[in-house]
Amino acid sequence: MLSKRIGKFSFQLLFGLIILTFLTYVISKQDFSLFLEKASTMWPIILLLLFIHIVLQILFSSYNIKIIANSLNHQIPYKNIFLSYIPVWSLGKILPGGVGELSILYQLKQEGLDTGNAVFIAFFDKLLTIVTQAIIIIAGIWIFIPPESSLLIIAILVIGIAAMIIAITSATLRNMIKKYILRSYSSKFVGFSSHFQYLWKEKKKVILWNMIITFCKSFSVAAIVTILFFILGTEVNIFSVLVINTLTLVVAMIPITIGGLGTKEAAAVYLYSTIGVPAVIVYAVYVSIRIASLTIGPLASLFVIYYIKNKIKKTNQSR
């Protein structure tokens, strides 16, 4: 079993590196002089923006976890969730399908939550993120893709969201999912439907607030990318960046490479080309974000682990 997982991971990593290498080769044929000229003088600001880009994602994502936990009467200090989310976010960048972020389950259980509540908070937050991303895509996909294809994608998204809601609320479908899909894991999802029903009937504001926070996260990240484009000599409408960023995140969820390695960058180059943004600039921005994520994330995670271990050590010494 372990060897299969290692083999799958290795294949996805290799496939992602092949895509990224091929993309690099194609882009290298173009003129990099404009990018190099701008980057050489603005690199301190670019590095700062990349750092802010990462911090904003963790701030908003961890706050979303807190508001869902609060709605179920679990008052976890935000500092704890924020620090816990740093390694969680980092894992999300190296595991396929964004599943790394679901490792927040472990951290929630460390805060005293039982498995059912922890599973609901982690998965429900992910579901609300997907719904919010779907709404953004529906609002702007027609800008980049022909109307016929846009309508098909919109129809698939609407049907998918409806199916997801029905699956959660229908007892018959829930039983089928438990029996044929979750199987031995169904015990981990005990209480999922009842929590959903509770929030849907009594705490609609929590659901809406979570989606607003997710949109704010997406918008702030889009703003950072827009500024990066501007610094590198290209003006892009922030709404276009918002929609393309969201589309690339969906592409990254397809588990054919590790964390969307290569596929996300290739999708970004293609989508921006439809509105006339130079491939060199798109490649530079998105690869820079990738490098920053894979560098800052693990370093910050090591700091958090050291901080927590040191805190536990001091607590044990004071007893």
Side-chain angles (χ1 to χ4, degrees):
M1 188 69 175
L2 180 61
S3 60
K4 279 188 176 181
R5 289 182 179 179
I6 294 173
K8 184 179 179 182
F9 182 90
S10 301
F11 173 78
Q12 290 173 327
L13 176 62
L14 179 61
F15 189 49
L17 289 172
I18 289 171
I19 295 173
L20 194 59
T21 302
F22 177 74
L23 183 63
T24 304
Y25 172 76
V26 172
I27 299 295
S28 68
K29 300 285 185 180
Q30 302 181 27
D31 185 11
F32 267 88
S33 58
L34 175 63
F35 162 70
L36 293 174
E37 181 184 344
K38 297 285 184 181
S40 62
T41 56
M42 303 294 287
W43 66 266
I45 298 176
I46 291 172
L47 289 178
L48 177 62
L49 287 170
L50 290 172
F51 178 76
I52 294 172
H53 175 275
I54 291 171
V55 171
L56 286 174
Q57 291 184 67
I58 298 171
L59 278 170
F60 284 119
S61 296
S62 54
Y63 186 70
N64 264 344
I65 293 292
K66 177 167 176 59
I67 62 175
I68 297 177
N70 286 354
S71 71
L72 299 178
N73 298 318
H74 297 292
Q75 303 297 325
I76 306 173
Y78 177 65
K79 179 185 176 183
N80 292 4
I81 298 177
F82 176 78
L83 289 174
S84 297
Y85 210 91
I86 293 173
V88 167
W89 179 87
S90 184
L91 275 175
K93 299 303 172 184
I94 59 174
L95 292 180
V99 296
E101 292 188 26
L102 294 177
S103 60
I104 191 67
L105 281 167
Y106 172 78
Q107 302 299 336
L108 290 172
K109 291 176 72 174
Q110 292 294 104
E111 293 292 335
L113 276 71
D114 60 40
T115 300
N117 285 337
V119 167
F120 175 77
I121 292 169
F123 276 85
F124 190 59
D125 176 63
K126 198 70 175 173
L127 290 176
L128 290 179
T129 297
I130 292 170
V131 171
T132 306
Q133 290 173 340
I135 292 170
I136 294 171
I137 292 171
I138 289 169
I141 193 172
W142 50 271
I143 299 174
F144 314 100
I145 298 176
E148 299 81 7
S149 300
S150 296
L151 288 173
L152 176 62
I153 292 172
I154 289 171
I156 292 171
L157 289 173
V158 171
I159 292 170
I161 292 171
M164 185 172 64
I165 294 172
I166 294 170
I168 295 173
T169 55
S170 169
T172 303
L173 283 176
R174 287 202 309 271
N175 289 332
M176 290 176 66
I177 291 170
K178 288 177 183 178
K179 184 176 180 180
Y180 298 107
I181 298 176
L182 296 177
R183 297 181 182 180
S184 60
Y185 293 99
S186 60
S187 60
K188 307 291 185 183
F189 288 82
V190 172
F192 192 99
S193 177
S194 60
H195 286 325
F196 174 80
Q197 297 281 1
Y198 169 69
L199 292 182
W200 184 255
K201 292 177 181 178
E202 307 292 337
K203 301 280 187 177
K204 286 186 178 68
K205 287 183 179 179
V206 171
I207 295 174
L208 180 61
W209 187 232
N210 182 286
M211 294 175 69
I212 290 172
I213 294 297
T214 301
F215 177 80
C216 289
K217 178 180 75 171
S218 299
F219 188 83
S220 63
V221 168
I224 296 294
V225 174
T226 303
I227 296 170
L228 286 170
F229 278 130
F230 181 76
I231 288 174
L232 296 175
T234 303
E235 291 189 34
V236 187
N237 181 280
I238 191 170
F239 179 71
S240 298
V241 176
L242 173 64
V243 177
I244 291 176
N245 264 356
T246 307
L247 283 166
T248 60
L249 286 174
V250 173
V251 170
M253 288 181 184
I254 302 172
I256 58 174
T257 66
I258 301 300
L261 179 66
T263 56
K264 183 177 180 179
E265 290 78 12
V269 169
Y270 166 74
L271 290 167
Y272 280 107
S273 71
T274 64
I275 54 174
V277 181
V280 170
I281 302 299
V282 177
Y283 174 86
V285 168
Y286 278 81
V287 170
S288 296
I289 291 172
R290 173 77 66 181
I291 293 171
S293 299
L294 294 177
T295 304
I296 297 174
L299 289 175
S301 299
L302 289 174
F303 169 77
V304 169
I305 292 169
Y306 172 79
Y307 171 82
I308 293 173
K309 282 187 175 180
N310 196 43
K311 187 177 179 180
I312 293 171
K313 184 179 178 181
K314 286 182 178 179
T315 302
N316 291 336
Q317 287 176 347
S318 64
R319 288 176 179 175

PDB file of all heavy atoms in Angstrom, residues 4 6 44 65 98 104 113 120 155-156 161 173 175 177-178 189 192 196 206 223 252 267 283 288-289 298 300 306 316:
ATOM      1  N   LYS A   4       2.671   1.738  -3.271  1.00  0.00           N
ATOM      2  CA  LYS A   4       1.777   2.274  -4.300  1.00  0.00           C
ATOM      3  C   LYS A   4       1.647   3.779  -4.176  1.00  0.00           C
ATOM      4  O   LYS A   4       1.655   4.517  -5.171  1.00  0.00           O
ATOM      5  CB  LYS A   4       0.386   1.623  -4.181  1.00  0.00           C
ATOM      6  CG  LYS A   4       0.287   0.254  -4.828  1.00  0.00           C
ATOM      7  CD  LYS A   4      -1.159  -0.221  -4.825  1.00  0.00           C
ATOM      8  CE  LYS A   4      -1.280  -1.559  -5.557  1.00  0.00           C
ATOM      9  NZ  LYS A   4      -2.677  -2.037  -5.586  1.00  0.00           N
ATOM     10  N   ILE A   6       3.797   5.837  -2.761  1.00  0.00           N
ATOM     11  CA  ILE A   6       5.073   6.453  -3.127  1.00  0.00           C
ATOM     12  C   ILE A   6       5.220   6.493  -4.643  1.00  0.00           C
ATOM     13  O   ILE A   6       5.658   7.495  -5.223  1.00  0.00           O
ATOM     14  CB  ILE A   6       6.254   5.689  -2.488  1.00  0.00           C
ATOM     15  CG1 ILE A   6       6.217   5.842  -0.964  1.00  0.00           C
ATOM     16  CG2 ILE A   6       7.586   6.196  -3.038  1.00  0.00           C
ATOM     17  CD1 ILE A   6       7.226   5.002  -0.228  1.00  0.00           C
ATOM     18  N   PRO A  44      13.066  43.908  -4.437  1.00  0.00           N
ATOM     19  CA  PRO A  44      12.652  43.943  -3.017  1.00  0.00           C
ATOM     20  C   PRO A  44      11.130  44.045  -2.869  1.00  0.00           C
ATOM     21  O   PRO A  44      10.540  43.390  -1.989  1.00  0.00           O
ATOM     22  CB  PRO A  44      13.338  45.213  -2.483  1.00  0.00           C
ATOM     23  CG  PRO A  44      14.466  45.464  -3.417  1.00  0.00           C
ATOM     24  CD  PRO A  44      13.951  45.041  -4.755  1.00  0.00           C
ATOM     25  N   ILE A  65     -11.809  28.806   9.329  1.00  0.00           N
ATOM     26  CA  ILE A  65     -11.889  27.643  10.220  1.00  0.00           C
ATOM     27  C   ILE A  65     -12.423  28.065  11.585  1.00  0.00           C
ATOM     28  O   ILE A  65     -13.269  27.388  12.179  1.00  0.00           O
ATOM     29  CB  ILE A  65     -10.495  26.986  10.382  1.00  0.00           C
ATOM     30  CG1 ILE A  65     -10.028  26.371   9.051  1.00  0.00           C
ATOM     31  CG2 ILE A  65     -10.516  25.931  11.481  1.00  0.00           C
ATOM     32  CD1 ILE A  65     -10.831  25.180   8.587  1.00  0.00           C
ATOM     33  N   GLY A  98      -5.248  19.554  -3.447  1.00  0.00           N
ATOM     34  CA  GLY A  98      -5.456  20.443  -2.316  1.00  0.00           C
ATOM     35  C   GLY A  98      -5.802  19.724  -1.019  1.00  0.00           C
ATOM     36  O   GLY A  98      -6.217  20.346  -0.041  1.00  0.00           O
ATOM     37  N   ILE A 104      -5.704  19.938   8.670  1.00  0.00           N
ATOM     38  CA  ILE A 104      -6.146  20.754   9.798  1.00  0.00           C
ATOM     39  C   ILE A 104      -6.951  19.890  10.766  1.00  0.00           C
ATOM     40  O   ILE A 104      -7.112  20.241  11.943  1.00  0.00           O
ATOM     41  CB  ILE A 104      -6.979  21.965   9.311  1.00  0.00           C
ATOM     42  CG1 ILE A 104      -7.223  22.976  10.459  1.00  0.00           C
ATOM     43  CG2 ILE A 104      -8.321  21.510   8.738  1.00  0.00           C
ATOM     44  CD1 ILE A 104      -6.002  23.674  10.936  1.00  0.00           C
ATOM     45  N   LEU A 113     -11.336  18.774  19.959  1.00  0.00           N
ATOM     46  CA  LEU A 113     -12.540  18.430  19.197  1.00  0.00           C
ATOM     47  C   LEU A 113     -12.559  16.935  18.916  1.00  0.00           C
ATOM     48  O   LEU A 113     -11.502  16.320  18.702  1.00  0.00           O
ATOM     49  CB  LEU A 113     -12.596  19.202  17.878  1.00  0.00           C
ATOM     50  CG  LEU A 113     -13.176  20.617  17.936  1.00  0.00           C
ATOM     51  CD1 LEU A 113     -12.213  21.572  18.641  1.00  0.00           C
ATOM     52  CD2 LEU A 113     -13.471  21.123  16.528  1.00  0.00           C
ATOM     53  N   PHE A 120     -16.153  17.626  10.118  1.00  0.00           N
ATOM     54  CA  PHE A 120     -17.155  18.546   9.564  1.00  0.00           C
ATOM     55  C   PHE A 120     -16.551  19.919   9.291  1.00  0.00           C
ATOM     56  O   PHE A 120     -16.740  20.481   8.211  1.00  0.00           O
ATOM     57  CB  PHE A 120     -18.336  18.711  10.523  1.00  0.00           C
ATOM     58  CG  PHE A 120     -19.322  19.746  10.050  1.00  0.00           C
ATOM     59  CD1 PHE A 120     -20.227  19.452   9.035  1.00  0.00           C
ATOM     60  CD2 PHE A 120     -19.313  21.031  10.585  1.00  0.00           C
ATOM     61  CE1 PHE A 120     -21.109  20.420   8.566  1.00  0.00           C
ATOM     62  CE2 PHE A 120     -20.193  22.003  10.122  1.00  0.00           C
ATOM     63  CZ  PHE A 120     -21.091  21.694   9.116  1.00  0.00           C
ATOM     64  N   ALA A 155     -23.056  25.045 -16.601  1.00  0.00           N
ATOM     65  CA  ALA A 155     -24.089  24.024 -16.331  1.00  0.00           C
ATOM     66  C   ALA A 155     -23.531  22.916 -15.441  1.00  0.00           C
ATOM     67  O   ALA A 155     -24.196  22.470 -14.490  1.00  0.00           O
ATOM     68  CB  ALA A 155     -24.598  23.439 -17.644  1.00  0.00           C
ATOM     69  N   ILE A 156     -22.296  22.485 -15.713  1.00  0.00           N
ATOM     70  CA  ILE A 156     -21.658  21.433 -14.907  1.00  0.00           C
ATOM     71  C   ILE A 156     -21.466  21.903 -13.464  1.00  0.00           C
ATOM     72  O   ILE A 156     -21.725  21.160 -12.510  1.00  0.00           O
ATOM     73  CB  ILE A 156     -20.303  21.023 -15.532  1.00  0.00           C
ATOM     74  CG1 ILE A 156     -20.531  20.306 -16.870  1.00  0.00           C
ATOM     75  CG2 ILE A 156     -19.516  20.126 -14.570  1.00  0.00           C
ATOM     76  CD1 ILE A 156     -19.265  20.058 -17.655  1.00  0.00           C
ATOM     77  N   ILE A 161     -22.970  21.740  -7.773  1.00  0.00           N
ATOM     78  CA  ILE A 161     -23.330  22.358  -6.492  1.00  0.00           C
ATOM     79  C   ILE A 161     -24.666  21.811  -5.998  1.00  0.00           C
ATOM     80  O   ILE A 161     -24.829  21.478  -4.821  1.00  0.00           O
ATOM     81  CB  ILE A 161     -23.394  23.899  -6.634  1.00  0.00           C
ATOM     82  CG1 ILE A 161     -21.990  24.464  -6.889  1.00  0.00           C
ATOM     83  CG2 ILE A 161     -23.990  24.531  -5.367  1.00  0.00           C
ATOM     84  CD1 ILE A 161     -21.975  25.932  -7.251  1.00  0.00           C
ATOM     85  N   LEU A 173     -29.530   9.342  -0.171  1.00  0.00           N
ATOM     86  CA  LEU A 173     -28.232   9.502  -0.840  1.00  0.00           C
ATOM     87  C   LEU A 173     -27.081   9.403   0.152  1.00  0.00           C
ATOM     88  O   LEU A 173     -26.030   8.847  -0.163  1.00  0.00           O
ATOM     89  CB  LEU A 173     -28.185  10.845  -1.569  1.00  0.00           C
ATOM     90  CG  LEU A 173     -28.958  10.924  -2.895  1.00  0.00           C
ATOM     91  CD1 LEU A 173     -28.910  12.330  -3.464  1.00  0.00           C
ATOM     92  CD2 LEU A 173     -28.384   9.935  -3.905  1.00  0.00           C
ATOM     93  N   ASN A 175     -26.982   7.596   2.835  1.00  0.00           N
ATOM     94  CA  ASN A 175     -26.786   6.176   3.139  1.00  0.00           C
ATOM     95  C   ASN A 175     -26.040   5.468   2.012  1.00  0.00           C
ATOM     96  O   ASN A 175     -25.194   4.597   2.260  1.00  0.00           O
ATOM     97  CB  ASN A 175     -28.138   5.501   3.385  1.00  0.00           C
ATOM     98  CG  ASN A 175     -28.762   5.939   4.700  1.00  0.00           C
ATOM     99  OD1 ASN A 175     -28.054   6.298   5.641  1.00  0.00           O
ATOM    100  ND2 ASN A 175     -30.088   5.925   4.769  1.00  0.00           N
ATOM    101  N   ILE A 177     -23.923   6.902  -0.092  1.00  0.00           N
ATOM    102  CA  ILE A 177     -22.537   7.379  -0.055  1.00  0.00           C
ATOM    103  C   ILE A 177     -21.755   6.646   1.033  1.00  0.00           C
ATOM    104  O   ILE A 177     -20.609   6.233   0.830  1.00  0.00           O
ATOM    105  CB  ILE A 177     -22.498   8.906   0.178  1.00  0.00           C
ATOM    106  CG1 ILE A 177     -23.032   9.641  -1.067  1.00  0.00           C
ATOM    107  CG2 ILE A 177     -21.073   9.367   0.475  1.00  0.00           C
ATOM    108  CD1 ILE A 177     -23.255  11.119  -0.856  1.00  0.00           C
ATOM    109  N   LYS A 178     -22.387   6.486   2.198  1.00  0.00           N
ATOM    110  CA  LYS A 178     -21.737   5.765   3.299  1.00  0.00           C
ATOM    111  C   LYS A 178     -21.424   4.326   2.912  1.00  0.00           C
ATOM    112  O   LYS A 178     -20.347   3.801   3.198  1.00  0.00           O
ATOM    113  CB  LYS A 178     -22.638   5.784   4.539  1.00  0.00           C
ATOM    114  CG  LYS A 178     -22.735   7.132   5.223  1.00  0.00           C
ATOM    115  CD  LYS A 178     -23.702   7.053   6.403  1.00  0.00           C
ATOM    116  CE  LYS A 178     -23.875   8.407   7.063  1.00  0.00           C
ATOM    117  NZ  LYS A 178     -24.861   8.345   8.178  1.00  0.00           N
ATOM    118  N   PHE A 189     -17.532  10.536   9.592  1.00  0.00           N
ATOM    119  CA  PHE A 189     -18.428  11.608   9.163  1.00  0.00           C
ATOM    120  C   PHE A 189     -19.726  11.634   9.961  1.00  0.00           C
ATOM    121  O   PHE A 189     -20.699  12.253   9.542  1.00  0.00           O
ATOM    122  CB  PHE A 189     -18.740  11.460   7.672  1.00  0.00           C
ATOM    123  CG  PHE A 189     -17.583  11.794   6.778  1.00  0.00           C
ATOM    124  CD1 PHE A 189     -16.583  10.863   6.531  1.00  0.00           C
ATOM    125  CD2 PHE A 189     -17.481  13.049   6.192  1.00  0.00           C
ATOM    126  CE1 PHE A 189     -15.497  11.176   5.717  1.00  0.00           C
ATOM    127  CE2 PHE A 189     -16.404  13.371   5.380  1.00  0.00           C
ATOM    128  CZ  PHE A 189     -15.417  12.422   5.144  1.00  0.00           C
ATOM    129  N   PHE A 192     -22.135  14.851  10.387  1.00  0.00           N
ATOM    130  CA  PHE A 192     -21.894  15.822   9.312  1.00  0.00           C
ATOM    131  C   PHE A 192     -23.212  16.450   8.854  1.00  0.00           C
ATOM    132  O   PHE A 192     -23.346  17.671   8.769  1.00  0.00           O
ATOM    133  CB  PHE A 192     -21.197  15.141   8.125  1.00  0.00           C
ATOM    134  CG  PHE A 192     -20.650  16.106   7.114  1.00  0.00           C
ATOM    135  CD1 PHE A 192     -19.306  16.440   7.113  1.00  0.00           C
ATOM    136  CD2 PHE A 192     -21.468  16.695   6.158  1.00  0.00           C
ATOM    137  CE1 PHE A 192     -18.787  17.338   6.184  1.00  0.00           C
ATOM    138  CE2 PHE A 192     -20.960  17.591   5.235  1.00  0.00           C
ATOM    139  CZ  PHE A 192     -19.625  17.912   5.246  1.00  0.00           C
ATOM    140  N   PHE A 196     -24.631  20.316   9.280  1.00  0.00           N
ATOM    141  CA  PHE A 196     -25.001  21.092   8.094  1.00  0.00           C
ATOM    142  C   PHE A 196     -26.423  21.640   8.233  1.00  0.00           C
ATOM    143  O   PHE A 196     -26.681  22.815   7.959  1.00  0.00           O
ATOM    144  CB  PHE A 196     -24.886  20.234   6.836  1.00  0.00           C
ATOM    145  CG  PHE A 196     -25.396  20.924   5.594  1.00  0.00           C
ATOM    146  CD1 PHE A 196     -24.606  21.853   4.932  1.00  0.00           C
ATOM    147  CD2 PHE A 196     -26.665  20.662   5.106  1.00  0.00           C
ATOM    148  CE1 PHE A 196     -25.072  22.503   3.802  1.00  0.00           C
ATOM    149  CE2 PHE A 196     -27.143  21.307   3.974  1.00  0.00           C
ATOM    150  CZ  PHE A 196     -26.348  22.230   3.322  1.00  0.00           C
ATOM    151  N   VAL A 206     -23.295  32.381   9.207  1.00  0.00           N
ATOM    152  CA  VAL A 206     -21.961  31.769   9.274  1.00  0.00           C
ATOM    153  C   VAL A 206     -21.537  31.286   7.893  1.00  0.00           C
ATOM    154  O   VAL A 206     -20.401  31.493   7.457  1.00  0.00           O
ATOM    155  CB  VAL A 206     -21.945  30.598  10.280  1.00  0.00           C
ATOM    156  CG1 VAL A 206     -20.637  29.812  10.187  1.00  0.00           C
ATOM    157  CG2 VAL A 206     -22.148  31.115  11.692  1.00  0.00           C
ATOM    158  N   ALA A 223      -5.433  40.944  -6.184  1.00  0.00           N
ATOM    159  CA  ALA A 223      -4.877  42.303  -6.125  1.00  0.00           C
ATOM    160  C   ALA A 223      -3.345  42.263  -6.117  1.00  0.00           C
ATOM    161  O   ALA A 223      -2.687  43.054  -6.808  1.00  0.00           O
ATOM    162  CB  ALA A 223      -5.394  43.031  -4.892  1.00  0.00           C
ATOM    163  N   ALA A 252      -5.580  23.123 -10.501  1.00  0.00           N
ATOM    164  CA  ALA A 252      -4.607  22.549  -9.566  1.00  0.00           C
ATOM    165  C   ALA A 252      -5.216  21.448  -8.701  1.00  0.00           C
ATOM    166  O   ALA A 252      -4.493  20.597  -8.173  1.00  0.00           O
ATOM    167  CB  ALA A 252      -4.025  23.646  -8.680  1.00  0.00           C
ATOM    168  N   ALA A 267      -2.059  26.540 -17.436  1.00  0.00           N
ATOM    169  CA  ALA A 267      -3.415  27.090 -17.554  1.00  0.00           C
ATOM    170  C   ALA A 267      -3.388  28.608 -17.475  1.00  0.00           C
ATOM    171  O   ALA A 267      -4.103  29.301 -18.223  1.00  0.00           O
ATOM    172  CB  ALA A 267      -4.300  26.518 -16.445  1.00  0.00           C
ATOM    173  N   TYR A 283       4.296  33.713 -16.946  1.00  0.00           N
ATOM    174  CA  TYR A 283       5.175  32.638 -16.483  1.00  0.00           C
ATOM    175  C   TYR A 283       6.014  33.108 -15.295  1.00  0.00           C
ATOM    176  O   TYR A 283       6.109  32.416 -14.273  1.00  0.00           O
ATOM    177  CB  TYR A 283       6.083  32.194 -17.628  1.00  0.00           C
ATOM    178  CG  TYR A 283       7.149  31.182 -17.239  1.00  0.00           C
ATOM    179  CD1 TYR A 283       6.866  29.829 -17.224  1.00  0.00           C
ATOM    180  CD2 TYR A 283       8.436  31.612 -16.891  1.00  0.00           C
ATOM    181  CE1 TYR A 283       7.843  28.904 -16.869  1.00  0.00           C
ATOM    182  CE2 TYR A 283       9.414  30.695 -16.535  1.00  0.00           C
ATOM    183  CZ  TYR A 283       9.116  29.346 -16.521  1.00  0.00           C
ATOM    184  OH  TYR A 283      10.081  28.444 -16.168  1.00  0.00           O
ATOM    185  N   SER A 288       7.171  32.462  -9.885  1.00  0.00           N
ATOM    186  CA  SER A 288       7.684  33.142  -8.682  1.00  0.00           C
ATOM    187  C   SER A 288       6.803  32.822  -7.473  1.00  0.00           C
ATOM    188  O   SER A 288       7.306  32.578  -6.373  1.00  0.00           O
ATOM    189  CB  SER A 288       7.731  34.655  -8.910  1.00  0.00           C
ATOM    190  OG  SER A 288       8.642  34.992  -9.927  1.00  0.00           O
ATOM    191  N   ILE A 289       5.482  32.832  -7.692  1.00  0.00           N
ATOM    192  CA  ILE A 289       4.549  32.482  -6.615  1.00  0.00           C
ATOM    193  C   ILE A 289       4.768  31.030  -6.178  1.00  0.00           C
ATOM    194  O   ILE A 289       4.770  30.713  -4.990  1.00  0.00           O
ATOM    195  CB  ILE A 289       3.093  32.695  -7.070  1.00  0.00           C
ATOM    196  CG1 ILE A 289       2.811  34.192  -7.233  1.00  0.00           C
ATOM    197  CG2 ILE A 289       2.110  32.067  -6.083  1.00  0.00           C
ATOM    198  CD1 ILE A 289       1.475  34.504  -7.856  1.00  0.00           C
ATOM    199  N   PRO A 298       7.473  25.871   3.900  1.00  0.00           N
ATOM    200  CA  PRO A 298       8.221  24.930   4.753  1.00  0.00           C
ATOM    201  C   PRO A 298       9.047  25.614   5.836  1.00  0.00           C
ATOM    202  O   PRO A 298       9.130  25.119   6.962  1.00  0.00           O
ATOM    203  CB  PRO A 298       9.139  24.213   3.752  1.00  0.00           C
ATOM    204  CG  PRO A 298       8.390  24.303   2.457  1.00  0.00           C
ATOM    205  CD  PRO A 298       7.735  25.649   2.474  1.00  0.00           C
ATOM    206  N   ALA A 300       8.420  28.525   7.303  1.00  0.00           N
ATOM    207  CA  ALA A 300       7.489  28.988   8.335  1.00  0.00           C
ATOM    208  C   ALA A 300       6.968  27.806   9.158  1.00  0.00           C
ATOM    209  O   ALA A 300       6.775  27.920  10.367  1.00  0.00           O
ATOM    210  CB  ALA A 300       6.324  29.738   7.687  1.00  0.00           C
ATOM    211  N   TYR A 306       9.031  24.432  15.860  1.00  0.00           N
ATOM    212  CA  TYR A 306      10.000  24.799  16.900  1.00  0.00           C
ATOM    213  C   TYR A 306       9.311  25.580  18.017  1.00  0.00           C
ATOM    214  O   TYR A 306       9.543  25.320  19.212  1.00  0.00           O
ATOM    215  CB  TYR A 306      11.130  25.635  16.305  1.00  0.00           C
ATOM    216  CG  TYR A 306      12.060  26.224  17.340  1.00  0.00           C
ATOM    217  CD1 TYR A 306      13.051  25.455  17.944  1.00  0.00           C
ATOM    218  CD2 TYR A 306      11.933  27.571  17.729  1.00  0.00           C
ATOM    219  CE1 TYR A 306      13.895  25.985  18.915  1.00  0.00           C
ATOM    220  CE2 TYR A 306      12.762  28.116  18.690  1.00  0.00           C
ATOM    221  CZ  TYR A 306      13.741  27.320  19.277  1.00  0.00           C
ATOM    222  OH  TYR A 306      14.570  27.856  20.228  1.00  0.00           O
ATOM    223  N   ASN A 316       6.006  22.043  30.500  1.00  0.00           N
ATOM    224  CA  ASN A 316       6.372  20.856  31.287  1.00  0.00           C
ATOM    225  C   ASN A 316       7.359  21.209  32.415  1.00  0.00           C
ATOM    226  O   ASN A 316       7.301  20.652  33.507  1.00  0.00           O
ATOM    227  CB  ASN A 316       6.982  19.787  30.381  1.00  0.00           C
ATOM    228  CG  ASN A 316       5.954  19.177  29.442  1.00  0.00           C
ATOM    229  OD1 ASN A 316       4.761  19.201  29.719  1.00  0.00           O
ATOM    230  ND2 ASN A 316       6.420  18.666  28.324  1.00  0.00           N
TER     231      ASN A 316
END
